[in-house]
Amino acid sequence: GNSLHFYDFNAKIMHTINNKNRVFISTYLGDDVLGVNDLLTMKYGNKNVTTRWNHIFNDQLTSNLSVFYTKYRYDIGIEINPYEFNIIAGTEDISAKYDFTYLMNDNITSRFGASATFHQYGQGRLKDETGSIANLLGVDPASEVVRKGLEYALYYTNDHKLGPLFSIRYGLRLSMFQNIGKETLFLFDDKYECYDQIDYDKGEIFNTQINLEPRLGAIYQINEFSSIKASYLRTVQYAQVATNATGGIPFDLWFPASPNIEPQKCDQFALGYFRNFLNDEIETSVEVYYKKMHNVIDFVDNASFIGNLYIDGEVRKGKGYAYGIEFLARKNFGDFSGWISYTYSKSMRKTPGINFDREYVSPYDKPHNISIVLNYAFNKRFDVSATWVYTTGQPVTYPCGKYTVDGITYAIYDGRNNSRYPDYHRLDLSATIKCKEKKNWQGEWNFSVYNAYGRKNVWAVLFIPEGNTISTQSVALFSFIPSVSYNFKF
């Protein structure tokens, strides 16, 4: 009883003004609509437009000036008698950046630039024409939390060859974030109860935060076939996603940094060994990494996040860490090509006030990840490919019991992300036929089957109240999807 339809549109235009100036314009539009047994309708949409001007000053200095517009939104409609309502949220950005590359000499290449972005975050608007869920939750459907921010960055990095066997990359990024009104900022005490508010006028800037983000990397060439790479970087993220996924249906909300929420900071270390075989025809590598994260946010248990003006009080701050090892073997040349990769990883969090203050797996913890991609070219015009992917099931919080008050049944939970969906895997097949080239026109046909053996991967699990009981329903989006595409450029 499920339904699914979507569209994607991509277009790119490149215009060469002269031998020193080129202009690129690209756009992406996409919408996905999913219906689940007349109980749930999910609409996702993306819009993106990018304009880039590439300029060559001379043999040593080049630049790229880019302007972006991007908008993402989702609309989740729920219809469970007697409730019928929609939750709407998303983000919108306008950004510009200017990047330069300077070839100082054969041993030193410098990259530097600046960027500025205007962010807008929609944090959960409730559309409830009947008023049933709004009355139950005590929420005003007209209330909507919208936040705005300004983000700036300056960066400089050098690729420096210190000899035939050793090279380093070092750099520094200076980032700044500012909240901008119109906004009412609610202040919370140690018990996360609102005790005051500050009203900022439209265009008024407040809460400026500045951070330094260093990075350092090194490559040692053992011989012509093998090398060792190591790196460290500090990153600062001024917008975070908090996910409420107790039933498996994600309600994601974006939180910009503010006086209530600090930016997330991450220190990442990586070390890898790389080795080529058969005259560089086969590449192999093994890498390990470790990430330490600060100011990671999550929703508190039983959070009220729909149209909640005090939503900052539903968020808790903690720490996280992640580590893993990645293996890769890739064949790049010949009629037969492809790669095989395997990653083992772990991602954990510890947040006061969540999961009884105990450590728990993050929403992104998927320990095992396997990808196998195979391509075979019969000739210059016809090739086939197969892709198989496997991942551990995504963490989810399932109820462990229930209780009933005044005829209404409620679920009981004993831990955050204490269960998992079944493991995910699928096989994709495709064949590409390139048409004969014509003057100023190139085209190709692609025939493919997504999820070829019809694996019904669980997308969500619904918990549906029925009297004094709660029934469960696993939702799989589809079995397999055949498709035909025609790609062209002129």
Side-chain angles (χ1 to χ4, degrees):
N2 300 339
S3 63
L4 173 70
H5 63 270
F6 60 89
Y7 78 88
D8 294 285
F9 173 79
N10 289 279
K12 181 176 181 178
I13 297 174
M14 181 190 74
H15 177 64
T16 301
I17 301 174
N18 51 43
N19 60 356
K20 290 191 174 183
N21 294 279
R22 293 184 298 172
V23 176
F24 304 82
I25 301 175
S26 61
T27 184
Y28 168 80
L29 303 174
D31 264 314
D32 299 70
V33 181
L34 167 68
V36 180
N37 287 345
D38 298 325
L39 299 174
L40 176 72
T41 302
M42 302 188 69
K43 300 178 181 179
Y44 293 87
N46 284 281
K47 297 178 181 178
N48 177 280
V49 179
T50 301
T51 301
R52 179 167 64 93
W53 169 44
N54 171 253
H55 177 66
I56 300 174
F57 291 93
N58 50 51
D59 292 340
Q60 291 181 291
L61 182 64
T62 61
S63 70
N64 283 284
L65 175 62
S66 305
V67 179
F68 311 87
Y69 170 78
T70 180
K71 182 177 182 179
Y72 167 76
R73 58 98 182 142
Y74 71 75
D75 183 338
I76 300 176
I78 299 175
E79 186 175 349
I80 300 177
N81 189 43
Y83 307 114
E84 183 178 351
F85 60 95
N86 294 69
I87 302 170
I88 303 169
T91 65
E92 187 173 8
D93 287 349
I94 300 174
S95 180
K97 68 174 185 175
Y98 207 1
D99 300 311
F100 296 85
T101 300
Y102 179 62
L103 304 177
M104 186 176 299
N105 52 49
D106 292 340
N107 295 322
I108 300 178
T109 300
S110 300
R111 294 176 176 85
F112 52 93
S115 66
T117 304
F118 171 73
H119 299 286
Q120 184 167 283
Y121 306 91
Q123 292 185 298
R125 176 169 63 90
L126 178 65
K127 181 181 179 183
D128 182 17
E129 296 180 354
T130 65
S132 55
I133 194 69
N135 294 333
L136 177 67
L137 300 176
V139 173
D140 181 5
S143 63
E144 179 181 9
V145 181
V146 177
R147 289 173 170 167
K148 302 178 180 68
L150 297 170
E151 185 174 354
Y152 313 92
L154 295 171
Y155 77 91
Y156 183 88
T157 182
N158 258 353
D159 290 326
H160 194 162
K161 293 182 180 180
L162 300 178
L165 302 179
F166 188 66
S167 61
I168 60 173
R169 171 178 290 183
Y170 50 90
L172 184 66
R173 187 173 186 265
L174 174 66
S175 61
M176 181 173 71
F177 185 87
Q178 297 175 311
N179 298 95
I180 180 172
K182 185 177 183 181
E183 180 178 329
T184 298
L185 176 69
F186 297 96
L187 306 178
F188 298 86
D189 58 22
D190 294 340
K191 297 181 180 179
Y192 298 95
E193 295 180 355
C194 180
Y195 67 88
D196 201 355
Q197 70 182 55
I198 304 174
D199 296 313
Y200 294 99
D201 294 331
K202 183 177 181 180
E204 185 176 358
I205 293 176
F206 61 100
N207 185 47
T208 297
Q209 301 195 44
I210 301 175
N211 287 279
L212 290 174
E213 304 173 43
R215 60 249 359 245
L216 176 65
I219 302 176
Y220 178 69
Q221 196 76 29
I222 300 174
N223 52 47
E224 59 181 320
F225 304 112
S226 58
S227 62
I228 296 175
K229 299 179 183 180
S231 66
Y232 161 77
L233 66 136
R234 155 63 70 97
T235 58
V236 178
Q237 186 171 308
Y238 293 102
Q240 298 190 60
V241 178
T243 300
N244 183 71
T246 54
I249 302 172
F251 296 111
D252 295 339
L253 293 182
W254 282 258
F255 285 81
S258 71
N260 293 324
I261 297 176
E262 298 180 59
Q264 183 181 148
K265 298 179 181 179
C266 175
D267 294 292
Q268 176 169 314
F269 304 85
L271 178 66
Y273 174 72
F274 299 79
R275 168 82 186 195
N276 292 355
F277 297 90
L278 302 178
N279 295 322
D280 295 336
E281 186 172 327
I282 296 178
E283 299 177 1
T284 64
S285 64
V286 55
E287 289 187 89
V288 295
Y289 69 89
Y290 178 82
K291 297 171 66 174
K292 185 68 174 180
M293 292 160 281
H294 309 271
N295 305 325
V296 182
I297 65 171
D298 255 332
F299 280 123
V300 71
D301 295 338
N302 303 311
S304 174
F305 56 93
I306 305 173
N308 184 1
L309 297 177
Y310 308 105
I311 194 167
D312 286 359
E314 305 289 344
V315 173
R316 301 294 183 266
K317 178 184 69 175
K319 297 181 179 181
Y321 65 91
Y323 59 86
I325 183 168
E326 304 174 347
F327 301 89
L328 173 68
R330 182 195 303 268
K331 185 176 184 296
N332 295 316
F333 307 106
D335 296 335
F336 178 75
S337 62
W339 73 83
I340 299 175
S341 68
Y342 168 72
T343 300
Y344 174 79
S345 61
K346 199 67 181 173
S347 179
M348 303 295 295
R349 292 182 178 179
K350 188 173 184 179
T351 307
I354 294 178
N355 201 49
F356 312 104
D357 295 341
R358 299 181 308 214
E359 192 175 74
Y360 60 98
V361 299
S362 84
Y364 312 106
D365 180 70
K366 297 180 181 180
H368 301 285
N369 190 316
I370 303 173
S371 295
I372 302 175
V373 177
L374 303 175
N375 304 292
Y376 186 77
F378 290 90
N379 51 51
K380 293 183 179 180
R381 293 183 53 200
F382 179 61
D383 61 77
V384 296
S385 66
T387 301
W388 186 76
V389 295
Y390 169 91
T391 62
T392 305
Q394 183 175 342
V396 65
T397 304
Y398 287 155
C400 63
K402 62 182 176 65
Y403 65 95
T404 303
V405 177
D406 296 331
I408 300 177
T409 300
Y410 300 89
I412 302 173
Y413 300 90
D414 68 349
R416 180 67 60 93
N417 295 337
N418 59 349
S419 301
R420 290 185 183 273
Y421 290 149
D423 292 348
Y424 179 99
H425 56 85
R426 74 171 198 272
L427 173 69
D428 303 335
L429 303 173
S430 71
T432 301
I433 303 174
K434 296 181 181 180
C435 305
K436 291 184 178 181
E437 291 189 16
K438 299 180 181 179
K439 185 179 180 180
N440 298 326
W441 185 276
Q442 296 179 14
E444 65 180 30
W445 287 95
N446 179 268
F447 304 88
S448 65
V449 179
Y450 179 90
N451 193 18
Y453 52 73
R455 165 75 173 180
K456 294 184 178 179
N457 290 296
V458 174
W459 174 77
V461 176
L462 305 181
F463 295 88
I464 305 170
E466 294 182 352
N468 62 351
T469 65
I470 297 177
S471 65
T472 62
Q473 185 177 88
S474 296
V475 178
L477 299 186
F478 38 73
S479 55
F480 63 89
I481 297 181
S483 67
V484 178
S485 302
Y486 179 69
N487 304 309
F488 61 92
K489 58 183 179 179
F490 58 92

